[in-house]
Amino acid sequence: MKPKPHIVGLPVYKPGKPIEEVKKEYGLEEVIKLASNENPYGSSPSAKAAIQAELDNLNLYPDGSAAELTASLAAHLGVSSDNIIFGCGSDEIIALISRAFFLPGDETIMADQTFSVYKSNADIEGAVSIEVPLVQGTHDLDGMLARITGKTKVIWVCNPNNPTGTIVSGSALTAFLDAVPDHVMVVLDEAYYEYVTDPSYSDGIKLLDRYPNLVVLRTFSKIYGLAALRIGYGVARPEIITLINQVREPFNTSRLAQAAAIAALGDQGYVDECRRLNSAGRVQLEGEFGRLGLEYFPAHGNFIMVDVRVSAFDIFELLLRKGVIVRAGHRLYPTYIRATVGSQEQNQVFIEVLEAALKEQGVLV
Ligand SMILES: Cc1ncc(COP(=O)(O)O)c(C=O)c1O
């Protein structure tokens, strides 16, 4: 049995530790998970009701084309239905783009510390990842342009960037898109779009008419609070959507996910409230980091990356023992942890245990 040579030795994705596992391992009653940028407020009640109503149909396959959801989303975004493709999370859209476009030896450009799924899918297809260093935690779009060659197929721009939380402005983005040659696709990953309140940020969907090589990715996993159901989407011109559809599994999103997403889209009041609470939580955490004298990247999503000035793994471990799960292990930022913005109470607990951990490590006196 011989696998494809380029997949031998590829790492398996390591997700944040599940709450149940941490409770068991550390004998804890309460655990706060701030590791996977989930919505701490759950999902809209209308999404839950839609799932209940769908429970009698579990024996039926879903509509593979997700026609009703596609129509709802098209109306919401102001695009046409043939501009949209749904996936089992936007993770799947990244995989499908990679499957549809990469031949072994093709090049793909991304930031050197960004969402790991771009590189892992490029690796699976045998494409070569060109990783361009972030500058102060932010995409270096000129640096990315400079690395384009005749072999470049796709450039990934994560906006806001996971894990740093920074954004590129609308004007920087359009100057970049103006300069990208036609043979290169730009995938603009806006998984955290709904959380951004900075006026310099641009809505990628509005750029689609001007840039035929652009694909925008979004998800129901973050502000819509439906991560468990695995549903995300890509928006692009119909020719690109058709190509991605050709490599999609027939029933890649479930009935429950489609029904919940339609209901969640219809409750924009819930989205607005989550955005407001998240902005307040961001301010709360930034204030506390400031008080503790910790540096952090300007955060625009529902997470924040902060420099703890000692091994992030050590702080991660100390927080875990106290029942707070964050993210460490960012290759280029070994002293930074990434924490999801939780509810006000969760943030308070996080800061208390962080302060104690930093004292234990001698960072604070
Ligand atoms: C930047 C970014 N893109 C895409 C995803 C994937 O989201 P999902 O597959 O849940 O839609 C995530 C999840 O954390 C993310 O941070």
Side-chain angles (χ1 to χ4, degrees), residues 132-156:
V132 176
L134 294 172
V135 175
Q136 292 174 335
T138 305
H139 278 72
D140 175 9
L141 295 179
D142 288 337
M144 293 176 118
L145 282 176
R147 301 300 303 274
I148 294 174
T149 69
K151 289 188 186 168
T152 308
K153 278 270 177 76
V154 176
I155 306 179
W156 308 87

Side-chain angles (χ1 to χ4, degrees), residues 83-99:
N83 291 123
I84 295 173
I85 180 164
F86 282 95
C88 177
S90 48
D91 275 348
E92 191 193 12
I93 310 288
I94 297 168
L96 294 178
I97 290 171
S98 305
R99 190 196 277 186

Side-chain angles (χ1 to χ4, degrees), residues 13-14 88-96 98 102 108 110 114-125 129 156 158 162 189 217 230:
Y13 181 79
K14 283 205 194 83
C88 177
S90 48
D91 275 348
E92 191 193 12
I93 310 288
I94 297 168
L96 294 178
S98 305
F102 291 142
T108 181
M110 63 197 74
T114 188
F115 189 47
S116 61
V117 173
Y118 314 142
K119 182 171 185 315
S120 60
N121 277 286
D123 288 346
I124 290 166
E125 303 301 334
S129 294
W156 308 87
C158 189
N162 179 3
D189 184 345
L217 304 185
R230 312 303 301 122

Side-chain angles (χ1 to χ4, degrees), residues 5 21 36 59 81 92 113 152 155 180 208-209 236 241 256 271 287 312 315 323 325 355 364:
E21 190 183 316
S36 301
N59 54 318
S81 284
E92 191 193 12
Q113 189 80 73
T152 308
I155 306 179
V180 172
L208 286 168
D209 279 346
I241 295 298
L256 300 185
V271 172
I315 297 294
I325 320 174
E355 191 167 353
L364 300 176

